[in-house]
Amino acid sequence: MATQTSDGISLRTETLTGLHWAGVVLAAITGVIHLWLGVSFAPSPLGIAFLVATVGFFGGVAAVLVDYRRRLMYLLGIPFTAGQVVLWYVANAPDFGPPGIADKIVQVLLIAVLIVLYRQSA
């Protein structure tokens, strides 16, 4: 069902499957974690980088919810999220804390969901 907001943007959730919703939830979880980290480290460059990642995750969620080029969002989300995993590993090896590990598990699951959604949308 499409729901129009006061600014004219329509949510297009009627075509979302359970897999889509899983991706939305996973992206939102990692987005919230990055927002928390960004605020914690602001105004350092690391804090800014976390906030940029937050915008990326929530921007992707918004694009999927309004049905804006979903297939492209899946495709862009794969390397964006994988890059987060790689950067985290490089910045933190060998001292990985539980919050970081939990976030990377969420991100690896998100990558898997995005790959499946991308393949299904062909």
Side-chain angles (χ1 to χ4, degrees):
M1 172 172 125
T3 306
Q4 189 156 343
T5 61
S6 61
D7 57 2
I9 297 173
S10 295
L11 296 177
R12 309 296 248 159
T13 58
E14 67 276 0
T15 59
L16 296 181
T17 65
L19 193 60
H20 286 97
W21 287 111
V24 165
V25 169
L26 292 167
I29 290 169
T30 193
V32 167
I33 291 169
H34 282 80
L35 176 61
W36 173 72
L37 289 168
V39 170
S40 297
F41 287 101
S44 74
L46 184 59
I48 301 301
F50 282 126
L51 294 174
V52 169
T54 299
V55 171
F57 287 116
F58 285 122
V61 166
V64 167
L65 292 177
V66 300
D67 197 11
Y68 178 77
R69 303 181 75 175
R70 283 184 186 155
R71 189 163 200 265
L72 178 61
M73 293 302 113
Y74 310 147
L75 185 62
L76 293 174
I78 295 164
F80 178 79
T81 308
Q84 301 290 318
V85 175
V86 171
L87 288 172
W88 170 79
Y89 182 85
V90 169
N92 292 288
D95 298 319
F96 305 119
I101 292 170
D103 183 46
K104 296 315 135 190
I105 290 169
V106 167
Q107 290 181 341
V108 168
L109 291 171
L110 177 58
I111 292 166
V113 167
L114 291 170
I115 290 169
V116 172
L117 287 170
Y118 180 76
R119 289 183 175 174
Q120 288 179 349
S121 67

